[in-house]
Amino acid sequence: MERLPILSLITYSPLVGAVILFLWANASPRAVRWIALVASSVSFLLSIGMLLAFDPHRSGMQFSETFEWLPELGIAYRLGVDGISAPLVGLTTLLTLIAVIASWEPIQHRVREYYITLLLLATGMLGVFVSLDLFLFYIFWEIVLIPMALIIGVWGSANRVYAAVKFFLYTLAGSLLMLVGIVALYQEYFQQTGVRTLDVLELARGQYSETFQFWAFLAFFLAFAIKVPMWPFHTWLPDAHVEAPTAGSVILAGVLLKMGGYGFLRFNLPLFPDATREWAPAIVVLSVIAILYGALMALVQRDFKKLVAYSSVSHMGFVTLGIFALNQPGLSGAMVVMLSHGFVTSALFLIVGILYERAHTRELAAFGGLARNMPIFAAFFGLFAFASLGLPGLSGFVGEFLALLGGFRAYRWAGVLGTAVVILAAWYMLRVFQRVALVRAPGEPPDPDDPELRLATARGVPPIAGGSDTHHAPVDPRTFPDVNWREALTLAPLALLTVWVGVYPLPVLRLIESALDAVLAAVTGSRL
């Protein structure tokens, strides 16, 4: 495996599929879908092989690839993965494959253009996680921006253009700030050593002044904070999620947000350790605000998709809290939360998409009683709802517990406030599950076998026909088919991973340990 350019094969397999689709202008929609499926499947299978061959006991980068690109400028084609990037590569290929399958029926116009865009997006995301040259990293970072904006703006809902422009402008502003930081870092290292390089590992060995670190850290931080997104840079996210097609929301929540957390771990902490320690208390404050704000906003949402979007703001707050707690459980928890959020929140957006395809509405008050006619759907929904609120035995609990433990060790007040949000998460997730799966829809006649009806009849009290929000157009769950094989195929692997990481997280913790050890040592001089 080490002799193969495995990372290039993983990264460019989707691009090959996109090129084939671009050249085959007369391809039928069926052929387009199958080509996209094959390309994403190849990338996914290669990433599984990479993860199986990855040695968690080795420190440093593995499967490295180096090719001199512009040697006079110190720019090279450098790829590699460690315990931080390897699992994110696997997550990206899995969610790309799921997005291809999830788009099989919902996307009916401009099918060829859609799958070209999706496959280009996959290549950009994978390139971000495997690049070890800042020039190459920036190219992939920018490649991601355009396809995601197109997916929102062309195949989204009614206000899709507004959401796409907002996403584009926010992300572009952060990218330009990061570009300034990259150029400044390049020049500062050259002045110190006389060597021109953009090798991330080489730049991390430089000795930078506190003033330089302060401003360079801020330039990189703002780019990654917008992508996470941290409060108060989060306002683009709910609009993007609500307007994006289901597969777009899956990729946005499952992968794009992780690019921000990855950036903190790969660049901010190792490159600017002094500034990291100086900025950490302020970032922890912003993280706690994001955790609380996201949960409170989710609690009052009537749109199912917007509720899940605001819950993402809250969950990603645990990521930044764990990272900037600057201790072992915090860093480990941040990584596990990123992976768990990729499984769980992506699945919740798939759940929303399944409902929207049947009812053509996302209003929570319009649903009710789906568990009777859609038991498989309700089982999946219940599993991911409980994982999202942090039920022990599921992946959400492991990451949040470790992140909060790290928060307690560094800033006790942050751990206390973060723990309180678990109650809010249980509140809004249990309520939405009850509303959608258990309570009767507005205007729906009561089930003659319902124990509530029998009790009301015995007491002589007329039963209420449906919920209280009867001003919403009701949907009759008796007309909805349960999840089909395609929908089950997208949810089943995420369910298995959610349970596996929740019950037996040791392989994941071992995978990330050595890489986080190096990051923590670079910042604090201590070991995991």
Side-chain angles (χ1 to χ4, degrees):
M1 187 71 72
E2 285 282 359
R3 297 180 181 179
L4 289 175
I6 186 68
L7 299 182
S8 291
L9 293 174
I10 293 170
T11 302
Y12 299 118
S13 293
L15 181 61
V16 171
V19 171
I20 293 173
L21 293 178
F22 178 79
L23 296 176
W24 191 3
N26 297 323
S28 67
R30 178 180 175 84
V32 167
R33 294 184 177 101
W34 277 103
I35 290 172
L37 180 64
V38 170
S40 56
S41 297
V42 169
S43 183
F44 171 66
L45 293 174
L46 288 170
S47 71
I48 294 298
M50 181 270 293
L51 287 171
L52 292 175
F54 187 89
D55 185 357
H57 303 294
R58 283 177 52 189
S59 59
M61 295 292 168
Q62 300 183 38
F63 312 108
S64 299
E65 302 175 30
T66 303
F67 175 78
E68 293 299 330
W69 189 1
L70 298 171
E72 64 276 8
L73 297 177
I75 297 172
Y77 179 82
R78 296 185 182 91
L79 304 183
V81 291
D82 60 1
I84 297 172
S85 51
L88 293 174
V89 168
L91 177 66
T92 302
T93 59
L94 172 63
L95 292 181
T96 300
L97 177 58
I98 287 175
V100 168
I101 298 172
S103 305
W104 206 269
E105 294 178 5
I107 301 300
Q108 295 294 331
H109 75 286
R110 297 184 179 180
V111 176
R112 172 171 159 268
E113 291 86 349
Y114 173 83
Y115 279 106
I116 290 174
T117 306
L118 183 60
L119 293 173
L120 285 174
L121 177 61
T123 292
M125 295 184 298
L126 289 166
V128 165
F129 294 131
V130 301
S131 298
L132 296 180
D133 183 276
L134 272 173
F135 182 79
L136 185 64
F137 169 83
Y138 189 77
I139 290 175
F140 282 119
W141 181 274
E142 291 297 278
I143 286 175
V144 168
L145 174 59
I146 297 175
M148 191 69 242
L150 288 174
I151 288 175
I152 298 170
V154 176
W155 292 276
S157 302
N159 294 323
R160 57 187 180 274
V161 175
Y162 167 78
V165 171
K166 191 173 183 179
F167 163 78
F168 187 90
L169 293 178
Y170 265 76
T171 308
L172 181 62
S175 299
L176 293 177
L177 289 171
M178 182 170 63
L179 180 60
V180 173
I182 291 173
V183 173
L185 185 63
Y186 177 78
Q187 286 296 112
E188 183 70 15
Y189 188 83
F190 174 70
Q191 291 177 6
Q192 286 185 16
T193 64
V195 176
R196 297 185 184 276
T197 184
L198 284 169
D199 184 344
V200 174
L201 303 181
E202 185 67 27
L203 291 171
R205 300 187 183 100
Q207 300 295 323
Y208 309 108
S209 67
E210 290 187 5
T211 301
F212 176 82
Q213 288 193 42
F214 182 91
W215 293 107
F217 176 96
L218 185 61
F220 279 85
F221 169 79
L222 289 174
F224 301 140
I226 290 171
K227 188 71 78 175
V228 165
M230 291 185 65
W231 184 92
F233 311 108
H234 67 283
T235 57
W236 64 267
L237 182 66
D239 292 320
H241 270 313
V242 168
E243 302 303 328
T246 297
S249 292
V250 168
I251 294 295
L252 185 60
V255 183
L256 260 70
L257 306 190
K258 311 308 178 297
M259 289 166 53
Y262 171 79
F264 291 142
L265 292 170
R266 177 65 71 221
F267 302 106
N268 282 83
L269 273 64
L271 291 173
F272 316 115
D274 297 332
T276 296
R277 294 191 296 271
E278 186 174 354
W279 279 102
I283 297 172
V284 168
V285 171
L286 294 179
S287 301
V288 173
I289 292 174
I291 293 170
L292 291 168
Y293 172 85
L296 290 172
M297 289 297 293
L299 195 61
V300 299
Q301 296 306 313
R302 295 184 177 183
D303 184 299
F304 196 174
K305 205 172 189 183
K306 189 171 284 190
L307 182 150
V308 180
Y310 276 110
S311 75
S312 287
V313 175
S314 183
H315 287 302
M316 292 305 292
F318 285 102
V319 173
T320 52
L321 172 62
I323 291 174
F324 289 96
L326 301 180
N327 54 42
Q328 180 267 336
L331 290 175
S332 298
M335 273 300 300
V336 177
V337 169
M338 283 199 285
L339 295 174
S340 174
H341 183 267
F343 309 149
V344 175
T345 304
S346 297
L348 287 174
F349 279 119
L350 291 171
I351 293 289
V352 176
I354 290 171
L355 284 183
Y356 187 77
E357 287 179 36
R358 288 156 171 76
H360 304 292
T361 181
R362 294 188 298 264
E363 288 291 322
L364 291 170
F367 295 103
L370 297 182
R372 291 195 294 274
N373 200 56
M374 304 174 67
I376 299 176
F377 168 86
F380 276 122
F381 183 21
L383 173 68
F384 294 118
F386 283 116
S388 181
L389 64 85
L391 183 73
L394 299 174
S395 61
F397 172 78
V398 178
E400 291 184 10
F401 175 80
L402 291 172
L404 288 171
L405 182 58
F408 268 113
R409 288 189 180 181
Y411 309 93
R412 182 161 297 182
W413 62 269
V416 171
L417 291 176
T419 304
V421 176
V422 175
I423 300 173
L424 294 177
W427 188 355
Y428 66 73
M429 286 310 304
L430 289 176
R431 189 171 70 172
V432 73
F433 179 71
Q434 180 189 36
R435 170 71 268 176
V436 171
L438 304 179
V439 177
R440 292 193 305 277
E444 178 190 351
D447 187 347
D449 297 326
D450 189 347
E452 177 187 347
L453 174 61
R454 295 179 180 178
L455 181 61
T457 303
R459 293 177 175 177
V461 179
I464 299 175
S468 58
D469 294 329
T470 54
H471 58 281
H472 291 280
V475 293
D476 188 352
R478 293 170 295 182
T479 64
F480 292 166
D482 208 344
V483 295
N484 56 40
W485 67 269
R486 176 185 59 82
E487 294 163 342
L489 190 61
T490 61
L491 292 170
L494 299 177
L496 291 174
L497 288 169
T498 299
V499 175
W500 174 56
V501 174
V503 174
Y504 188 54
L506 186 59
V508 174
L509 296 176
R510 284 178 175 169
L511 177 65
I512 64 180
E513 182 178 7
S514 62
L516 295 180
D517 182 14
V519 170
L520 188 61
V523 177
T524 66
S526 61
R527 309 290 289 180
L528 286 179

